[in-house]
Amino acid sequence: MTKQVTLTIDGKQVTVPDGMLVVDAAKEAGIDIPVFCYHPKMEPVGMCRMCLVEIGRPVMDRTTGKPILDDKGEPKLQFLPKLETACTNPVSEGMVVYTQSEKAEAGQKSTIEFLLTSHPLDCPICDKGGECPLQNLTMAYGPGKSRFLFDEKMHLAKMVPLGELIYLDQERCIQCARCIRFQDEVAGDAVLGFDERGRSTQIVSLSDPGFDSVFSGNTTDICPVGALTTADFRFGARPWELSSSASICSQCPVGCNITFNTRREAMSDGKIVIKRVMPRQNEEVNEIWMCDKGRFAYHYAESEKRLSKPLIRKDGKLSRASWDAATQAAGEAIAKAKKDLVVLASGRLSNEDLFNLKSFADQVEGKAVLYTHMGGGDLVSLVGVGQGTNFGAMGAGTTIVVVASDLYEEAPVWYLRVKQAVQRGAALIVANPRETKLDRYASFVIRYSYGDEVRTVHDLTKKGKVGDAFAKAENAVILFGSDGLGLDGSTALATACARALNDTEHAGKPNNGLIGVWQRANDQGAWEIGFRPEENLVGALKGKTVYVVGADPAGDDPALVRALHGTEFVIAQDLFETETAKLADVVLPAQAYTEREGTFTSGERRVQRFYPAVPALDGTRPDFAITSQVARQASVILEGTSASVVFDILAEDIKSFAGLNYAKLAEVKPQRPIVGRGDLYYGGTTYENKFGLGVQLSSAADRSEKFTLPRVQKVEELRPKEKKLLAVPVTKLYDRGVTVESAKLLNQRIGEAFVALHPSAAEQLGVEAGERVKLSLDGVSEDVVVKIDETISTGVVLVPRSMGLPISAPAEASLKAAKKVSVRA
Amino acid sequence: MSLAEKYPKEVKQILAKYPPEHKRSAVMPLLYLAQREDGYITKEAMQDIADALEISVTDVGSVVGFYTLYHDKKEGKYRMQVCTDLPCALRGADQFMESLCSNLGIKVGETTADGLVTLEAVTCLAACDRAPMFQIQSGDGLKYYEDMNVDKTMELIEALRKAESNS
């Protein structure tokens, strides 16, 4: 345990760990020292001078090392002649701090007066008004009147785009550098800086595109004034008009805790709509951060293309039908099909939805198939990270392995957490066939060729520098992904990872085990509940009755369109009229997750609740309820009224969920640093967690169960053949998936569909960076732009997933330069 | 052409002065090098330097923005920087500046029509005892001109102009 130090702040005795800053010690004692530039997640800089206090330190006798006493027998105190900043001074034994003395208050008052000399005081039209630290602290500590001349105020640009997402109001900025420091220290994308100096100091971003970071939205949370605002929320609403609902981000498997801010408004025809998405503190998941995809890609549920009526195919055409008629048609088809039922669902659905679907499939002896390109979730159930795992607690002694995944693009907040763990002393091994952003923090970078994943992981258990760093580490975690891999490749990789962890006894305890970097928020939940992917999906659908939920196979791949045409009956349940819905026999309109409650299981196997944020679109129902209704028509009784009751049944049925219920998931405990309370200036506008931190599931290893891990499956080795190209799929954060595509703001960051080549391959083919080429894969062609990547091997080309060309696994590709247009001179 | 291609020897020399793990410290000398040619630092040059030192281009831009001797806009080939601090003012720097302006037909901060001279007011060049004084910043570096008057200055500018048209 660290040494404890006792000091006195405003007459209150406080005992805190040695090394703590005075400002934090005061916070512990319930005393709020005003700050602007200080943020508990970043190094102190003492730039804004708002936290000026009087600090007295006991005078020590140099010979005895004991404090010198005054006449009254009290330790003699020495104060500096000037005030000191509470945010840069660590506590020491016997220290006496006055935060509200006449002198301290005069200092604080002057600081506010100075800060306001160039601030426009345009609170009535400022987005921050109502939740603004500058506004609050001016009211609490300001002089009320300024001695400076109002007419000599600085006037500066009020709408400077730092990128498409974030706007800077130069007048409002108080140069606290929180945003610059966040980008530098926390995000690791140093794309903000100061230009000029003195009174002319301004925030700038010179990156291309501007403010090139997927964490940019967080700077608007921690900006203590209205200088940084998002293009999304700018002039959107006043903060006090907003209601808030706790939720979980559904964009990736991290499971960031978020809050939806909503209001009823005239401009949306009197509907209650989401106005913004804010992070919600969960120190074990996302701390107080979130990525821009989560923050800005929430508009899809408001899309005009939402389904609001069940549809039945009549005379070859889909036409509107009642819920009774539609569910009856679906139920009867399934009752007829029995074991010929295939439920095809994705990790977009909640645990409750998936559980009802699985129960339904089981009772008619059909099959529950997970729609995914990535395998290994069953192994994560065995040796997944132990209960109590927290990236925030990892440091020296822990080794983190990231294999076949580009975390920055696939799960940004994990990227951030892994990076932070490394900065606290954890060792990082990044094994990837190409360069990724995480490489620069790695102790070891392993660059293997596509196809060598399993061998690479196997080598981790061998003696040597890298092997020792993994095998001999006190704690070890492996994050595996599917960079360049399809289902069989990623399953083999997961098996190799699971074996490596198990063989080195890195399973069944906190901060040890396996994590899957899945494509969707609840893929792990689907695995836990018993969904399994199908290697030959096309074959598995043939002649079956298919119940497709929360997935659009037909929209993703022409081969699956053909497969769905060859089925007996198709039921599509979705938010939108997807390509799959268009060829279905029955279409059932589902509610968005923002319109209902439920739970997701994150990649770290934390089960977390989300709550309804907006009223459901008329005519839609939650997935679990629809399934129950369809099941009833097939004489299968499933709970269909309450998500929490479905969860209770799930918890009884599935071992890893044993003992859990909605009340447990909603439990909270105090978190450090304190960011909520009235003084939102401390942590920013992130929300305090009042609605549940969630519970991590136990793994088989946690429960000390006996299990045997499968052997690593032999996978057909895909190597680029002579004079042929091997296309491998990679994941991009901003892709053409429905959530990003319907978010106008992020849409601008998607960029064009591309193919990445090695420079020498490009030379051989006679194409250059930026050139348009025709790329063909499995008979499908598309015009794409050439990118150059020096870190891949020559015969391999990278093709992003969800960018137009269907690619679920490595495949042979051909590439032709598009016809060059000759320009007449 | 990148900076390293243009000045391979100089870039190598500069980088050799710093330990590889602290190569970002080479940002200032590299910026001077980049400024040598055109009297200002182009966006491309900033990117070059950022790539070479593995820092962000915004970090490089911040350094350019902070120091007054770096410029990110094309202005006069010679920057005439007159010290107008208090001690210099006491020795007539203000009047000197004023009549220099009227002789050149420009205001402080502006550039002569032929793009030869940009006139700037700066603070403390540490030569109060020899004011009025200024420094000229150009591709050749910095040169001090002390105990100046307007006539001497105009002669100097004329000489620069002549040298320019001859080259």
Short mmCIF file of all heavy atoms in Angstrom, two decimals, chain A residues 753-782:
data_model
loop_
_atom_site.label_atom_id
_atom_site.label_comp_id
_atom_site.label_asym_id
_atom_site.label_seq_id
_atom_site.Cartn_x
_atom_site.Cartn_y
_atom_site.Cartn_z
N ALA A 753 -14.17 3.48 -51.73
CA ALA A 753 -13.77 2.08 -51.64
C ALA A 753 -12.37 1.98 -52.21
O ALA A 753 -12.05 2.61 -53.21
CB ALA A 753 -14.73 1.22 -52.43
N PHE A 754 -11.50 1.21 -51.55
CA PHE A 754 -10.12 1.16 -52.04
C PHE A 754 -9.61 -0.27 -52.07
O PHE A 754 -10.24 -1.19 -51.58
CB PHE A 754 -9.21 2.02 -51.16
CG PHE A 754 -9.06 1.50 -49.75
CD1 PHE A 754 -8.11 0.53 -49.45
CD2 PHE A 754 -9.86 1.98 -48.72
CE1 PHE A 754 -7.96 0.05 -48.15
CE2 PHE A 754 -9.72 1.51 -47.43
CZ PHE A 754 -8.77 0.54 -47.14
N VAL A 755 -8.47 -0.43 -52.69
CA VAL A 755 -7.73 -1.67 -52.62
C VAL A 755 -6.29 -1.27 -52.31
O VAL A 755 -5.77 -0.34 -52.90
CB VAL A 755 -7.83 -2.48 -53.94
CG1 VAL A 755 -7.34 -1.68 -55.12
CG2 VAL A 755 -7.06 -3.78 -53.84
N ALA A 756 -5.69 -1.92 -51.31
CA ALA A 756 -4.33 -1.56 -50.95
C ALA A 756 -3.35 -2.60 -51.51
O ALA A 756 -3.58 -3.80 -51.37
CB ALA A 756 -4.19 -1.45 -49.44
N LEU A 757 -2.31 -2.11 -52.13
CA LEU A 757 -1.32 -2.97 -52.77
C LEU A 757 0.07 -2.66 -52.25
O LEU A 757 0.35 -1.55 -51.83
CB LEU A 757 -1.27 -2.71 -54.28
CG LEU A 757 -2.51 -2.81 -55.12
CD1 LEU A 757 -2.25 -2.14 -56.45
CD2 LEU A 757 -2.82 -4.26 -55.34
N HIS A 758 0.96 -3.64 -52.40
CA HIS A 758 2.37 -3.37 -52.15
C HIS A 758 2.91 -2.55 -53.32
O HIS A 758 2.48 -2.75 -54.45
CB HIS A 758 3.12 -4.71 -52.03
CG HIS A 758 4.54 -4.54 -51.60
ND1 HIS A 758 5.56 -4.37 -52.50
CD2 HIS A 758 5.09 -4.47 -50.37
CE1 HIS A 758 6.69 -4.22 -51.83
NE2 HIS A 758 6.44 -4.28 -50.54
N PRO A 759 3.87 -1.63 -53.05
CA PRO A 759 4.36 -0.79 -54.14
C PRO A 759 4.85 -1.59 -55.36
O PRO A 759 4.57 -1.19 -56.50
CB PRO A 759 5.52 -0.01 -53.52
CG PRO A 759 5.46 -0.23 -52.06
CD PRO A 759 4.42 -1.26 -51.75
N SER A 760 5.52 -2.70 -55.11
CA SER A 760 6.05 -3.43 -56.27
C SER A 760 4.93 -4.12 -57.05
O SER A 760 5.01 -4.27 -58.27
CB SER A 760 7.13 -4.42 -55.85
OG SER A 760 6.55 -5.46 -55.10
N ALA A 761 3.88 -4.54 -56.33
CA ALA A 761 2.74 -5.12 -57.03
C ALA A 761 2.06 -4.07 -57.90
O ALA A 761 1.64 -4.35 -59.03
CB ALA A 761 1.74 -5.69 -56.03
N ALA A 762 1.98 -2.87 -57.36
CA ALA A 762 1.37 -1.78 -58.12
C ALA A 762 2.19 -1.51 -59.37
O ALA A 762 1.64 -1.29 -60.46
CB ALA A 762 1.28 -0.53 -57.25
N GLU A 763 3.50 -1.56 -59.20
CA GLU A 763 4.38 -1.30 -60.34
C GLU A 763 4.18 -2.36 -61.41
O GLU A 763 4.05 -2.06 -62.60
CB GLU A 763 5.83 -1.28 -59.86
CG GLU A 763 6.75 -0.52 -60.77
CD GLU A 763 8.18 -0.55 -60.24
OE1 GLU A 763 8.35 -0.45 -59.01
OE2 GLU A 763 9.10 -0.72 -61.04
N GLN A 764 4.14 -3.62 -60.96
CA GLN A 764 3.94 -4.71 -61.90
C GLN A 764 2.64 -4.57 -62.69
O GLN A 764 2.58 -4.85 -63.88
CB GLN A 764 3.88 -6.04 -61.14
CG GLN A 764 5.22 -6.75 -61.10
CD GLN A 764 5.12 -8.02 -60.29
OE1 GLN A 764 4.03 -8.56 -60.11
NE2 GLN A 764 6.24 -8.48 -59.81
N LEU A 765 1.60 -4.14 -61.98
CA LEU A 765 0.31 -4.00 -62.64
C LEU A 765 0.19 -2.69 -63.40
O LEU A 765 -0.78 -2.46 -64.11
CB LEU A 765 -0.82 -4.08 -61.59
CG LEU A 765 -1.02 -5.45 -60.97
CD1 LEU A 765 -1.74 -5.33 -59.65
CD2 LEU A 765 -1.82 -6.34 -61.92
N GLY A 766 1.18 -1.84 -63.19
CA GLY A 766 1.16 -0.56 -63.89
C GLY A 766 0.11 0.40 -63.38
O GLY A 766 -0.48 1.15 -64.14
N VAL A 767 -0.15 0.34 -62.06
CA VAL A 767 -1.11 1.29 -61.49
C VAL A 767 -0.43 2.14 -60.43
O VAL A 767 0.58 1.74 -59.85
CB VAL A 767 -2.34 0.58 -60.87
CG1 VAL A 767 -3.14 -0.11 -61.96
CG2 VAL A 767 -1.91 -0.42 -59.81
N GLU A 768 -1.00 3.29 -60.19
CA GLU A 768 -0.41 4.21 -59.23
C GLU A 768 -1.40 4.53 -58.12
O GLU A 768 -2.61 4.35 -58.30
CB GLU A 768 -0.03 5.53 -59.93
CG GLU A 768 1.25 5.43 -60.72
CD GLU A 768 1.46 6.67 -61.57
OE1 GLU A 768 0.83 7.71 -61.28
OE2 GLU A 768 2.26 6.58 -62.51
N ALA A 769 -0.86 5.04 -57.01
CA ALA A 769 -1.73 5.45 -55.89
C ALA A 769 -2.73 6.48 -56.38
O ALA A 769 -2.38 7.38 -57.13
CB ALA A 769 -0.89 6.02 -54.76
N GLY A 770 -3.98 6.34 -55.96
CA GLY A 770 -5.01 7.30 -56.34
C GLY A 770 -5.70 6.96 -57.65
O GLY A 770 -6.72 7.57 -57.99
N GLU A 771 -5.16 5.98 -58.37
CA GLU A 771 -5.76 5.63 -59.66
C GLU A 771 -7.00 4.75 -59.44
O GLU A 771 -7.06 3.98 -58.50
CB GLU A 771 -4.71 4.87 -60.47
CG GLU A 771 -5.06 4.71 -61.93
CD GLU A 771 -3.93 4.01 -62.69
OE1 GLU A 771 -2.74 4.25 -62.37
OE2 GLU A 771 -4.24 3.21 -63.58
N ARG A 772 -7.95 4.86 -60.37
CA ARG A 772 -9.14 4.00 -60.28
C ARG A 772 -8.87 2.70 -61.02
O ARG A 772 -8.36 2.70 -62.13
CB ARG A 772 -10.34 4.67 -60.95
CG ARG A 772 -10.80 5.88 -60.24
CD ARG A 772 -12.25 6.20 -60.59
NE ARG A 772 -12.87 6.76 -59.41
CZ ARG A 772 -13.43 6.04 -58.46
NH1 ARG A 772 -13.53 4.74 -58.58
NH2 ARG A 772 -13.93 6.60 -57.39
N VAL A 773 -9.22 1.59 -60.39
CA VAL A 773 -9.05 0.30 -61.05
C VAL A 773 -10.32 -0.52 -60.87
O VAL A 773 -11.15 -0.23 -60.02
CB VAL A 773 -7.85 -0.49 -60.44
CG1 VAL A 773 -6.55 0.21 -60.74
CG2 VAL A 773 -8.04 -0.69 -58.95
N LYS A 774 -10.44 -1.54 -61.70
CA LYS A 774 -11.58 -2.44 -61.58
C LYS A 774 -11.12 -3.67 -60.83
O LYS A 774 -10.21 -4.37 -61.27
CB LYS A 774 -12.10 -2.81 -62.97
CG LYS A 774 -13.48 -3.45 -62.91
CD LYS A 774 -14.00 -3.77 -64.29
CE LYS A 774 -14.92 -2.78 -64.94
NZ LYS A 774 -16.01 -2.22 -64.17
N LEU A 775 -11.70 -3.92 -59.68
CA LEU A 775 -11.32 -5.06 -58.86
C LEU A 775 -12.43 -6.11 -58.95
O LEU A 775 -13.60 -5.80 -58.76
CB LEU A 775 -11.15 -4.61 -57.41
CG LEU A 775 -10.74 -5.67 -56.40
CD1 LEU A 775 -9.32 -6.15 -56.65
CD2 LEU A 775 -10.84 -5.12 -54.98
N SER A 776 -12.03 -7.34 -59.26
CA SER A 776 -13.04 -8.40 -59.36
C SER A 776 -12.77 -9.50 -58.35
O SER A 776 -11.63 -9.92 -58.16
CB SER A 776 -13.01 -9.02 -60.76
OG SER A 776 -13.16 -8.02 -61.72
N LEU A 777 -13.86 -9.91 -57.70
CA LEU A 777 -13.79 -10.93 -56.65
C LEU A 777 -14.97 -11.84 -56.83
O LEU A 777 -16.11 -11.37 -56.82
CB LEU A 777 -13.96 -10.25 -55.29
CG LEU A 777 -12.76 -9.79 -54.51
CD1 LEU A 777 -13.25 -9.08 -53.27
CD2 LEU A 777 -11.89 -10.95 -54.14
N ASP A 778 -14.73 -13.12 -57.01
CA ASP A 778 -15.85 -14.05 -57.14
C ASP A 778 -16.91 -13.58 -58.14
O ASP A 778 -18.11 -13.65 -57.88
CB ASP A 778 -16.54 -14.26 -55.77
CG ASP A 778 -15.70 -15.15 -54.89
OD1 ASP A 778 -14.87 -15.91 -55.44
OD2 ASP A 778 -15.87 -15.08 -53.66
N GLY A 779 -16.44 -13.03 -59.23
CA GLY A 779 -17.38 -12.63 -60.27
C GLY A 779 -18.06 -11.29 -60.06
O GLY A 779 -18.87 -10.88 -60.87
N VAL A 780 -17.76 -10.63 -58.96
CA VAL A 780 -18.33 -9.30 -58.73
C VAL A 780 -17.22 -8.28 -58.93
O VAL A 780 -16.11 -8.45 -58.41
CB VAL A 780 -18.90 -9.18 -57.31
CG1 VAL A 780 -19.65 -7.87 -57.16
CG2 VAL A 780 -19.81 -10.35 -56.99
N SER A 781 -17.49 -7.23 -59.67
CA SER A 781 -16.46 -6.22 -59.89
C SER A 781 -16.92 -4.87 -59.39
O SER A 781 -18.11 -4.58 -59.35
CB SER A 781 -16.14 -6.06 -61.38
OG SER A 781 -16.09 -7.30 -61.99
N GLU A 782 -15.94 -4.07 -59.06
CA GLU A 782 -16.27 -2.71 -58.63
C GLU A 782 -15.06 -1.81 -58.89
O GLU A 782 -13.92 -2.25 -58.81
CB GLU A 782 -16.60 -2.73 -57.14
CG GLU A 782 -16.98 -1.35 -56.64
CD GLU A 782 -18.15 -1.38 -55.69
OE1 GLU A 782 -19.10 -2.15 -55.94
OE2 GLU A 782 -18.13 -0.62 -54.73
#
